[in-house]
């Protein structure tokens, strides 16, 4: 079985273990950070800004990706986790409002180093995992991330309620320290030594994406889908309260349903990518996501839970397909920049749409807004599926040397 082959790959197994370990602490901290800021300052705006602080560095992905292409990737993975372990441990000192700036500083640092780690991970995995198994690995990685999101937020919230934010910070620090140890065990190989900035400067990733008939449509489709996802996410509490008639806490139940869908598709992604031709896998996922978004306008708990599970299953498909294509189609020398640029182009619309959606929800009934957003996703799927096709030239073998 393909998944078994991936797990037997030493590098892939260590990576997945590190994703689980660090992802647990990160997910716990992301939820607790907003609660922490709210309890210290009493400000809803500052609490929301805590999550924005984590997302902000994604906008600078091409520049951070250029840094990842200049440094030894194993050292980068180990070093960033060591820095994060130390910096999050310092947050145990944040006990009064006057030190809340320290929390924001660490969250921004976490966001920057996460972009660096994602760039380095994409490059290392592309060189260590066979091209035919990259879809399986990326699906398993998605499953691991989403699985942690099912468990970690509840753990973080409970730990915060019992012992305060310092305990969550120490949990996060321990998870990063353990991840650093796992990355230190990697046997990383790369191509010949890179120049200080590598070919093409920091814009090389954008040129690589735009010039590729394989990558460009996938990244554009993923970007449009995440725009729709942001608009859909902004309606969460309007649906919970106005459509379903529940308290805000019910949002946690819907999130669990979505996480279950994501875990399921992560396990099956590699097999589906091999069995479905061309762009069918990402297009089918986008279409499923679009239909499910429209269904969220129906005032029924059963429909809402089903729709959230389908959103969880459909949304990751184009993200997995795009990441896998970047790893397969990009030369090693610019892979860090290309992966980071793709992440910026794909994830930025989600952050922008969350803000736009917050304004739309106040003016447009979700019974109208959600079907329109869902229709936009379905149109995106159709455009991806029927778009102009180009012949795909298989990537040549990677010449490797010890890093």
């Amino acid at each position: 079985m393909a998944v078994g082959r991936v797990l037997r790959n030493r590098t892939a197994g260590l990576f997945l273990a590190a994703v689980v370990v660090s992802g647990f602490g990160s997910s716990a901290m992301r939820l607790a950070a907003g609660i922490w800021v709210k309890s210290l300052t009493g400000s809803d705006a500052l609490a929301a800004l805590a999550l924005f602080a984590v997302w902000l560095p994604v906008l600078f992905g091409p520049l951070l990706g250029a840094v990842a292409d200049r440094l030894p990737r194993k050292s980068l993975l180990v070093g960033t986790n060591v820095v994060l372990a130390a910096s999050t441990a310092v947050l145990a000192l944040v006990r009064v409002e006057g030190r809340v700036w320290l929390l924001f500083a660490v969250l921004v640092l976490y966001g920057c180093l996460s972009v660096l780690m994602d760039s380095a991970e994409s490059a290392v995995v592309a060189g260590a995992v066979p091209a035919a198994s990259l879809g399986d690995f990326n699906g398993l990685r998605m499953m691991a991330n989403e699985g942690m999101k099912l468990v970690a937020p509840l753990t973080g919230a409970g730990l915060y309620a019992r012992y305060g934010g310092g305990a969550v910070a120490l949990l996060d620090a321990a998870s990063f320290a353990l991840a650093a140890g796992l990355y230190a065990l990697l046997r990383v190989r790369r191509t010949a030594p890179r120049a200080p900035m590598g070919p093409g400067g920091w814009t090389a990733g954008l040129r690589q994406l735009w010039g590729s008939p394989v990558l460009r449509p996938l990244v554009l489709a993923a970007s449009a889908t995440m725009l729709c996802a942001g608009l859909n996410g902004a309606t969460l509490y309007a649906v919970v309260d106005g459509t379903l008639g529940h308290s805000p806490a019910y949002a946690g139940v819907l999130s669990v349903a979505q996480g279950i869908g994501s875990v399921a598709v992560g396990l099956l992604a590699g097999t589906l990518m091999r069995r479905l031709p061309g762009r069918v896998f990402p297009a089918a996922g986008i279409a499923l996501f679009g239909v499910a978004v429209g269904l969220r306008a129906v005032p029924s708990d059963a429909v809402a839970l089903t729709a959230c599970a389908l959103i969880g299953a459909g949304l990751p498909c184009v993200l997995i397909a795009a990441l896998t294509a970047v790893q397969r189609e990009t030369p090693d020398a610019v892979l860090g920049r290309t992966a980071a640029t793709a992440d910026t182009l794909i994830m930025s619309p989600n952050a922008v749409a969350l803000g736009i959606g917050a304004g739309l929800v106040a003016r447009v009934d979700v019974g109208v807004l959600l079907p329109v957003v869902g229709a936009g996703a379905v149109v995106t799927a159709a455009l991806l599926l029927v778009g102009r096709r180009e012949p795909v030239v298989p990537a040549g073998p990677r010449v490797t040397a010890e890093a």
Side-chain angles (χ1 to χ4, degrees), residues 344-367:
T344 296
L345 294 175
I346 291 171
M347 295 302 176
S348 296
N350 182 66
V352 172
L354 283 169
I356 296 174
L360 287 175
V361 167
R363 294 169 175 81
V364 182
D365 186 89
V366 293

Side-chain angles (χ1 to χ4, degrees), residues 11 102 136 177 221 225 228 283 300 306 342 352 362 375 387 398:
T11 299
L102 183 60
D136 297 284
T225 304
C228 294
S300 163
T306 301
V352 172
R398 294 176 182 267

Side-chain angles (χ1 to χ4, degrees), residues 140-157:
L140 289 172
R141 183 181 179 186
M142 177 70 69
M143 183 182 71
N145 274 324
E146 296 302 320
M148 288 303 98
K149 290 178 184 178
L150 293 177
V151 179
L154 295 177
T155 303

Side-chain angles (χ1 to χ4, degrees), residues 192-343:
R194 294 177 287 272
M197 176 59 80
W202 67 272
T203 61
L206 181 60
R207 291 198 296 273
Q208 174 71 22
L209 290 174
W210 195 254
S212 169
V214 176
L215 301 180
R216 185 175 64 248
L218 280 173
V219 170
L220 289 176
S223 180
T225 304
M226 291 307 293
L227 180 70
C228 294
L231 294 173
N232 172 65
T235 68
L236 175 61
Y237 291 103
V239 169
V240 169
D241 180 23
T243 304
L244 301 177
H246 291 291
S247 69
Y250 192 71
V253 178
L254 298 180
S255 296
V256 169
Q258 183 170 332
I260 291 172
S262 295
V263 168
V265 80
L267 185 62
L268 299 173
T271 300
L272 291 174
M273 290 178 70
R274 282 188 294 273
R275 293 185 178 179
L276 297 175
R279 302 173 189 169
V280 173
F281 172 69
I286 297 171
L288 180 63
F289 163 75
V291 171
V293 168
L295 288 175
R296 292 185 67 230
V298 178
S300 163
D301 283 2
V303 173
L305 290 168
T306 301
C308 285
L310 293 178
I311 288 172
L315 182 58
C317 294
V318 69
L319 305 180
I320 294 170
L323 175 58
T324 301
V326 166
Q327 292 169 335
R328 287 176 176 169
E329 301 293 326
T330 306
D332 178 82
V334 295
L335 185 47
R337 278 163 284 179
T338 304
T341 302
D343 195 43

